[in-house]
Amino acid sequence: MKTKNWCEFLMVLIFCVISANGIASTGHGSTAPKKVGILLVAFGSSEASAQVSFENIDKQVKAAYPDFPVRWAYTSHIIRAKLAKQGKNLDSPAVALAKMQDENFTHVAVQSLHTIGGEEYHDLRRIVGAFKIMGGFQKIILGYPLMSTQTDMERIVEAVLKSIPNSRKKNDAVVLMGHGTHHPSNAFYAALMFQLQLKDSNIFVGTVEGYPDAELIKELMLRKKIKRAYLMPFMSVAGDHAKNDMAGEESDSWKSIFSQSGIDCVPVLKGTAEYDDFVNIWVDHIRGPLSHFE
């Protein structure tokens, strides 16, 4: 975690220890009434147009689990700070969990809305683990991110195929832009491209900050003499990366890099969370933690 995040977390930790002691002292042998909640945790976005993705997730989760209150948290300190300046206050995961503890939730399903189990997801795991150790909740369990199992991968392949615009022709490429990370889980992107190409050899998966990168994807398309490519973000929201790194007019955007090599580009500015087939994977992952609360 970054220094600011650690400071924030330590403050919450002290609060939670005090709260946990208060809960424990409410009566010898007493058990608080069962109260189950869901905490949805995303990286976050300050782009107003990206909120449609989070609204769709929120709607689908509440429809699937109408009996459980839903709370939200953003892992990105930078995004939370930007939103605060706009008068929109989003909690960090640690603060959100502390508030849920103060609201007397006894069982919490924390659902990651990340695409892969990268650095942000593992930071979240540590936070959930700390709350588990403190004992303020009877049970707190973290759900898997989008790409976690082979079943997830198969569902994602089908979701990608369904999300491709109908105007795309057989010889046109489809390029998915993921975020990428230095974390070992970056390997999921290349694994996804392999499984997608078993269905459609003109679908490619690249990343902004990992492997495969834009230059490699460009070379792969040139080898196949591809003249047109649909560019689609493989991120939950079509935020800054999609608008600028993928579809922007700057010389280092994917659109510019591919266009300069003679490949006509058609950007599609829709995040994965705008498609129900992707959202349903996250929604189904919540059932894992909830099944342990019965």
Side-chain angles (χ1 to χ4, degrees):
M1 288 188 198
K2 306 297 188 292
T3 303
K4 288 183 179 179
N5 290 348
W6 269 116
C7 292
E8 179 184 58
F9 180 64
L10 286 173
M11 291 175 65
V12 173
L13 184 64
I14 294 169
F15 167 79
C16 290
V17 170
I18 295 171
S19 298
N21 289 335
I23 292 170
S25 64
T26 55
H28 181 69
S30 65
T31 302
K34 186 176 182 180
K35 185 177 180 181
V36 179
I38 296 170
L39 177 63
L40 301 177
V41 182
F43 177 82
S45 176
S46 58
E47 294 278 342
S49 59
Q51 298 310 307
V52 63
S53 293
F54 296 141
E55 289 169 3
N56 191 37
I57 294 172
D58 192 70
K59 180 182 72 174
Q60 299 295 340
V61 171
K62 288 177 178 176
Y65 310 106
D67 297 331
F68 307 129
V70 176
R71 304 286 188 267
W72 277 81
Y74 284 0
T75 58
S76 172
H77 173 79
I78 294 173
I79 296 298
R80 296 197 309 270
K82 284 183 179 179
L83 289 172
K85 290 179 181 178
Q86 300 172 19
K88 302 171 185 176
N89 295 309
L90 267 294
D91 292 328
S92 68
V95 169
L97 286 170
K99 287 182 177 180
M100 293 183 78
Q101 186 173 307
D102 199 40
E103 291 181 67
N104 298 319
F105 282 92
T106 59
H107 297 68
V108 179
V110 181
Q111 180 54 50
S112 160
L113 299 178
H114 301 100
T115 299
I116 60 172
E119 182 181 0
E120 295 278 338
Y121 177 76
H122 284 274
D123 281 348
L124 181 58
R125 279 189 64 187
R126 285 189 281 272
I127 291 170
V128 170
F131 275 85
K132 192 176 296 185
I133 291 169
M134 287 186 293
F137 300 110
Q138 290 180 31
K139 283 190 177 180
I140 176 170
I141 302 176
L142 176 61
Y144 289 139
L146 185 72
M147 282 201 294
S148 300
T149 69
Q150 179 55 30
T151 298
D152 293 339
M153 296 285 275
E154 292 167 4
R155 293 179 68 180
I156 290 166
V157 166
E158 293 306 314
V160 168
L161 294 174
K162 287 177 65 176
S163 67
I164 296 170
N166 294 330
S167 57
R168 181 248 181 163
K169 294 181 173 56
K170 184 178 179 180
N171 292 329
D172 295 340
V174 174
V175 179
L176 304 180
M177 186 188 76
H179 189 280
T181 174
H182 64 276
H183 192 277
S185 61
N186 188 84
F188 270 101
Y189 293 109
L192 176 62
M193 181 161 68
F194 171 77
Q195 295 195 40
L196 280 165
Q197 291 194 346
L198 292 176
K199 299 276 189 178
D200 185 327
S201 62
N202 283 342
I203 300 180
F204 304 89
V205 181
T207 66
V208 181
E209 298 181 8
Y211 177 91
D213 62 13
E215 288 296 328
L216 176 56
I217 299 301
K218 180 188 75 174
E219 291 304 318
L220 293 175
M221 288 194 290
L222 290 176
R223 287 181 199 173
K224 301 192 74 173
K225 297 181 172 55
I226 286 171
K227 297 299 182 183
R228 196 174 199 222
Y230 284 77
L231 310 183
M232 302 176 65
F234 188 61
M235 304 177 190
S236 61
V237 302
D240 181 67
H241 283 302
K243 292 179 178 178
N244 297 307
D245 296 316
M246 187 186 82
E249 298 301 326
E250 296 295 326
S251 61
D252 59 349
S253 76
W254 286 26
K255 178 184 174 183
S256 296
I257 291 171
F258 300 154
S259 296
Q260 288 163 10
S261 296
I263 301 171
D264 181 40
C265 294
V266 183
V268 181
L269 292 175
K270 289 185 69 174
T272 55
E274 294 185 55
Y275 302 94
D276 290 349
D277 289 309
F278 288 103
V279 174
N280 288 338
I281 299 172
W282 280 302
V283 171
D284 289 346
H285 282 174
I286 299 173
R287 291 198 179 94
L290 291 179
S291 68
H292 291 279
F293 299 164
E294 297 172 354

